[in-house]
């Protein structure tokens, strides 16, 4: 059964380490399986759309059209939408603007929510999901006194997709339930999504447009929540927080063409992930284990001497994400981004050499 981390008032992990650190500086020439941004993005049509917005840079950004487009995408009133400079800004706004007494973060997951809460002066409790349970959520493990609960779905780095109703069961009067759905559009059919729901009290859903569309350098995401929560977060934002090009990207990425393209990409990612998992299966005699079923555009593996294997992979030209910076994991864990079959086949050959030493 999941347990609260006994070190709930201290970090114990490098919460600021992210996948991009693996490919900066001397890692710039490596084949990137460390960053969870879909390859070959942004597509040409999206680049052209963003470029066309540059003629309006002399004017201050006006987010009304993009906000309305996001609302329409999810069938929600605009009062339930807040545009942000990526999901990371949303975590900072939540930490600074909301008056919470006992925030809880369900780990392993993206570490930025906890880092933002700590930076804002909060003491953060952790609920650790266990490998022997498949990193599945047990709602009973979340303390009843928690007035802010943060969970990812599908979860980075485990690639676990929690049932929507299991997550919704965490809702309580007086509690904010924050669900990070940054990778939900990589799940075929977006099954288990909560983004469109208005019947879950205290629900706050975060979405990112940087992963599927390759816009990490542009910074664009959004929050979906009750109007009073959106108002609290908006008051904590600076004026004009989202740039004109990012607003143009947001409007384009939630339109019918983009939604259809993302749905097609999600099926392609699922097929490429299956190919990766088939290849990884042959390393089982070497002690490699995969967290399954994987549902995100990445997989989490456990491997003896993973830190050494990771270094050898770098020497062979491949970057993967170390797992020991995620609470609940240690240095035997690695996260692998899903890539096309050709890239995966090359990686598997390198992994064979790295494991053999």
């Amino acid at each position: 059964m999941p347990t609260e981390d006994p070190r709930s008032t201290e970090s114990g992990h490098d919460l600021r380490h992210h996948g991009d650190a693996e490919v900066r500086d001397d890692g710039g020439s490596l084949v990137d399986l460390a960053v969870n941004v879909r390859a070959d993005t942004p597509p040409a049509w999206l680049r052209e759309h963003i470029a066309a917005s540059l003629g309006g840079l002399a004017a201050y950004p006006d987010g009304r059209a993009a906000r309305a487009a996001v609302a329409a995408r999810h069938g929600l009133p605009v009062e339930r939408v807040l545009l942000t400079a990526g999901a990371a800004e949303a975590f900072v706004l939540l930490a600074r603007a909301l008056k919470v007494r006992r925030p809880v973060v369900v780990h392993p997951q993206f570490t930025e929510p906890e880092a933002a809460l700590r930076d804002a002066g909060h003491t953060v409790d952790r609920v650790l999901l266990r490998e022997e349970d498949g990193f599945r959520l047990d709602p009973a493990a979340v303390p009843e006194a928690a007035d802010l609960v943060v969970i990812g779905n599908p979860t980075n780095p485990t690639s676990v997709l929690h049932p929507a109703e299991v997550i919704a069961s965490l809702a309580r009067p007086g509690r904010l339930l924050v669900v990070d759905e940054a990778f939900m559009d990589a799940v075929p059919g977006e099954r288990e999504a909560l983004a469109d729901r208005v019947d879950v009290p205290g629900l706050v859903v975060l979405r990112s447009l940087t992963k599927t569309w390759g816009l990490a350098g542009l910074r664009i995401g959004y929050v979906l929540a009750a109007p009073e929560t959106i108002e609290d977060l908006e008051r904590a934002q600076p004026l004009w927080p989202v740039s004109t090009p990012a607003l143009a990207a947001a409007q384009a990425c939630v339109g019918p063409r983009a939604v259809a393209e993302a749905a097609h990409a999600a099926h392609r990612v699922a097929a490429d992930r299956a190919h990766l998992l088939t290849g990884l299966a042959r390393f089982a005699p070497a002690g490699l284990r995969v967290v399954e079923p994987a549902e995100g555009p990445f997989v989490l593996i456990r491997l003896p001497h993973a830190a050494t294997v990771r270094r050898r992979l770098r020497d062979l030209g491949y970057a993967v994400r170390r797992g020991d910076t995620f609470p609940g994991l240690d240095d035997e864990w690695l996260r692998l981004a899903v890539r096309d079959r050709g890239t995966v086949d090359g990686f598997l050959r390198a992994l064979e050499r790295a494991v053999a030493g």
Side-chain angles (χ1 to χ4, degrees), residues 3-70:
T3 58
E4 288 184 66
D5 190 343
R7 301 169 304 168
S8 61
T9 59
E10 60 186 31
S11 171
H13 293 78
D14 182 3
L15 301 179
R16 295 297 191 186
H17 182 92
H18 300 297
D20 63 310
E22 310 283 355
V23 290
R24 289 200 303 258
D25 302 327
D26 64 337
S29 62
L30 301 178
V31 178
D32 179 12
L33 278 76
V35 176
N36 288 329
V37 173
R38 182 162 63 98
D40 300 322
T41 53
W45 68 264
L46 181 55
R47 292 197 304 269
E48 292 167 3
H49 184 82
I50 295 169
S53 74
L54 299 182
L57 290 184
Y60 285 96
D62 183 349
R64 288 177 296 178
R67 187 179 184 186
V70 170

Side-chain angles (χ1 to χ4, degrees), residues 5 29 34 38 53 58 72 75 99 105 119-120 163 166-167 176 213-214 250 255 269 271 294 321 333 340:
D5 190 343
S29 62
R38 182 162 63 98
S53 74
K99 308 301 181 186
V105 179
D119 287 348
V166 172
I167 293 181
L176 288 170
W213 297 108
V269 167
R321 171 68 158 90
W333 294 93
D340 65 89

Side-chain angles (χ1 to χ4, degrees), residues 21-338:
E22 310 283 355
V23 290
R24 289 200 303 258
D25 302 327
D26 64 337
S29 62
L30 301 178
V31 178
D32 179 12
L33 278 76
V35 176
N36 288 329
V37 173
R38 182 162 63 98
D40 300 322
T41 53
W45 68 264
L46 181 55
R47 292 197 304 269
E48 292 167 3
H49 184 82
I50 295 169
S53 74
L54 299 182
L57 290 184
Y60 285 96
D62 183 349
R64 288 177 296 178
R67 187 179 184 186
V70 170
R73 156 79 168 88
H74 294 285
L76 299 171
V78 293
E79 293 80 13
R80 297 185 70 94
V81 176
L82 181 69
L83 302 175
T84 61
E89 188 207 4
F91 289 124
V92 173
L93 295 176
L94 287 164
R96 293 180 179 178
L98 303 180
K99 308 301 181 186
V100 295
R101 300 178 308 280
R102 190 176 181 188
V104 168
V105 179
V106 179
H107 285 290
Q109 78 148 342
F110 184 49
T111 54
E112 203 60 31
E114 179 173 328
L117 286 162
R118 291 184 180 279
D119 287 348
H122 295 283
T123 298
V124 182
D125 286 342
R126 294 176 181 167
V127 170
L128 297 184
L129 307 184
R130 305 190 310 172
E131 177 189 7
E132 48 265 49
D133 299 327
F135 295 108
R136 297 278 160 183
L137 173 65
D138 177 2
V142 177
E144 281 295 322
D147 57 358
L148 174 70
V149 178
V150 185
I151 185 169
N153 202 37
T155 302
N156 170 22
T158 63
S159 207
V160 168
L161 183 66
H162 304 288
E165 292 309 319
V166 172
I167 293 181
S169 72
L170 293 174
R172 301 283 190 279
R175 171 186 287 178
L176 288 170
L177 174 58
V178 179
V179 185
D180 177 7
E181 291 189 352
F183 295 100
M184 187 59 77
D185 59 356
V187 177
E190 294 196 6
R191 66 187 193 281
E192 312 304 344
L194 289 166
D196 303 350
R197 298 275 293 271
V198 296
D199 61 323
V200 181
L203 178 65
V204 180
V205 174
L206 276 58
R207 286 283 182 113
S208 170
L209 296 173
T210 64
K211 316 298 184 185
T212 289
W213 297 108
L215 298 174
L218 195 61
R219 312 308 306 143
I220 180 64
Y222 53 90
V223 181
L224 306 172
E228 57 270 23
T229 301
I230 295 297
E231 290 175 2
D232 288 340
L233 299 178
E234 193 169 20
R235 280 194 292 268
Q237 275 188 315
L239 289 172
W240 312 293
V242 180
S243 70
T244 295
L247 292 172
Q251 191 169 355
C253 290
V254 297
R257 172 183 181 174
V259 170
E261 184 173 321
H264 176 75
H267 287 283
R268 187 171 68 249
V269 167
D272 290 340
R273 183 180 60 237
H275 181 68
L276 172 60
L277 293 174
T278 298
L280 291 173
R282 71 172 186 255
F283 293 92
L288 187 150
R289 299 196 300 276
V290 182
V291 177
E292 294 190 85
E295 301 283 0
F298 45 87
V299 299
L300 182 65
I301 66 171
R302 187 167 194 172
L303 181 67
H305 313 295
T308 299
V309 170
R310 174 176 158 270
R311 289 193 294 270
R312 290 173 180 166
L313 283 169
R314 291 184 70 86
D315 292 339
L316 294 168
Y318 290 84
V320 299
R321 171 68 158 90
R322 57 189 282 198
D324 61 323
T325 64
F326 293 100
L329 304 181
D330 58 26
D331 61 3
E332 289 197 343
W333 294 93
L334 300 172
R335 189 192 70 196
L336 314 175
V338 173

